[in-house]
Amino acid sequence: MKHQTALQLGSQRVRAAWASLRLAAFVLVLALSPSTYRDPAVRATLVRQIALGTGPLLAWFTVLVAVGSLVLIRIVVVTAASYGLNRYALDMVVRVLVLELIPLIAALAVAVRITLPEGVRLAAQITPERLAAWRRDGRDPLAVEGAPRVVGGVFAVVALAAVSCAVSLVLAYLVVHGFTPAALPAYTRKVGQVFTPAVSLVFVLKTLALSLSVSLVPVVSALRIASSRNAGVLSEVGSLVRMFLLILLIEIGSLMVNYA
């Protein structure tokens, strides 16, 4: 009896995971389809997600990353100098800070401040009456509410990561070389040696994967909660766990590809 119950529970979890994966694929296809944005309501939701999500977050996140980068860069430079490893200091800063930490921190910040709250709000907004109204108008709720939130989350992560990486690279140059353009050719050559084509490709794919993880999982969880109406807090916690598990797997995969 216990064996049968365990099999049933495992089968239910597999079916739920498969359903979530299919729903995520549908939402992603809609988000990438240009025809989705012909609807003025979808465009308005997308603009609102980008303006109200990325705009306020970008300023304070960049300031925090700049302060943290200054501290980390100074620690690495001083430590490397104390061991006579000055020539490796910039390499360590770029690899640890730019390649690994900033995309991860950007994804976590967007998840906490944008996508997870939007997922909870979406689950509360999608009522049976609203779904019926959308169907009467011939509109897909996945396109109306799901796709703009996914695109907004991806845009937020990419924007935060790009701006923060640029700021960190500038700060690294200023900390090491000061306010002089004389060392700029050597610095750009050093950074270029780190950002080889393979490493750059992994960096871009990792950032996109992190952005999709923190954007798709809350939306898919919200849509499933709205469709079942019997999930509640446990499903939200499960969504959080799945999202952080995906982030962990992406980080492990990128580290294996870059350093294995």
Side-chain angles (χ1 to χ4, degrees), residues 111-157:
V112 172
R113 292 300 300 269
I114 300 177
T115 56
L116 287 174
E118 281 296 323
V120 175
R121 193 175 297 115
L122 178 62
Q125 286 179 350
I126 300 182
T127 61
E129 295 78 12
R130 199 168 186 180
L131 287 174
W134 281 332
R135 293 191 179 99
R136 284 195 304 268
D137 296 337
R139 300 164 69 187
D140 188 352
L142 297 182
V144 175
E145 297 290 344
R149 283 176 167 82
V150 171
V151 175
V154 171
F155 179 85
V157 174

Side-chain angles (χ1 to χ4, degrees), residues 198-215:
V199 172
S200 301
L201 178 61
V202 172
F203 174 74
V204 172
L205 292 178
K206 168 188 170 180
T207 305
L208 290 176
L210 289 173
S211 64
L212 286 174
S213 298
V214 301
S215 302

Side-chain angles (χ1 to χ4, degrees), residues 35-200:
S35 60
T36 303
Y37 306 99
R38 294 174 184 171
D39 189 345
V42 177
R43 294 198 298 270
T45 304
L46 177 60
V47 172
R48 185 173 65 253
Q49 290 294 319
I50 293 176
L52 299 181
T54 307
L57 182 61
L58 182 60
W60 71 260
F61 181 81
T62 304
V63 172
L64 289 179
V65 169
V67 174
S69 298
L70 280 174
V71 174
L72 183 59
I73 292 167
R74 187 61 183 169
I75 291 173
V76 172
V77 170
V78 171
T79 303
S82 64
Y83 288 98
L85 302 173
N86 303 66
R87 59 177 180 171
Y88 299 110
L90 281 177
D91 186 277
M92 293 175 59
V93 167
V94 174
R95 287 186 179 275
V96 174
L97 185 61
V98 178
L99 287 180
E100 304 302 336
L101 289 181
I102 288 181
L104 176 61
I105 297 173
L108 293 177
V110 170
V112 172
R113 292 300 300 269
I114 300 177
T115 56
L116 287 174
E118 281 296 323
V120 175
R121 193 175 297 115
L122 178 62
Q125 286 179 350
I126 300 182
T127 61
E129 295 78 12
R130 199 168 186 180
L131 287 174
W134 281 332
R135 293 191 179 99
R136 284 195 304 268
D137 296 337
R139 300 164 69 187
D140 188 352
L142 297 182
V144 175
E145 297 290 344
R149 283 176 167 82
V150 171
V151 175
V154 171
F155 179 85
V157 174
V158 173
L160 264 62
V163 173
S164 300
C165 287
V167 170
S168 298
L169 288 173
V170 172
L171 291 175
Y173 177 85
L174 294 177
V175 170
V176 176
H177 300 291
F179 292 90
T180 173
L184 190 58
Y187 179 74
T188 55
R189 183 169 58 253
K190 188 71 174 179
V191 174
Q193 291 174 353
V194 176
F195 278 94
T196 62
V199 172
S200 301

Side-chain angles (χ1 to χ4, degrees), residues 4-22 224 234 238 241-242:
Q4 185 177 3
T5 304
L7 288 177
Q8 292 175 352
L9 182 60
S11 177
Q12 291 175 358
R13 289 180 176 177
V14 170
R15 288 197 297 268
W18 176 247
S20 297
L21 186 61
R22 290 185 59 191
R224 285 183 59 82
L234 290 179
V241 172
R242 287 191 295 271

Side-chain angles (χ1 to χ4, degrees), residues 12-24 108 111 115-116 119 123 209-210 212-228 231-251:
Q12 291 175 358
R13 289 180 176 177
V14 170
R15 288 197 297 268
W18 176 247
S20 297
L21 186 61
R22 290 185 59 191
L23 185 58
L108 293 177
T115 56
L116 287 174
L210 289 173
L212 286 174
S213 298
V214 301
S215 302
L216 274 173
V217 172
V219 169
V220 170
S221 177
L223 293 172
R224 285 183 59 82
I225 291 173
S227 62
S228 62
V233 178
L234 290 179
S235 290
E236 296 175 6
V237 174
S239 170
L240 185 64
V241 172
R242 287 191 295 271
M243 187 184 68
F244 282 109
L245 180 60
L246 282 175
I247 291 175
L248 179 61
L249 292 176
I250 292 169
E251 280 294 321

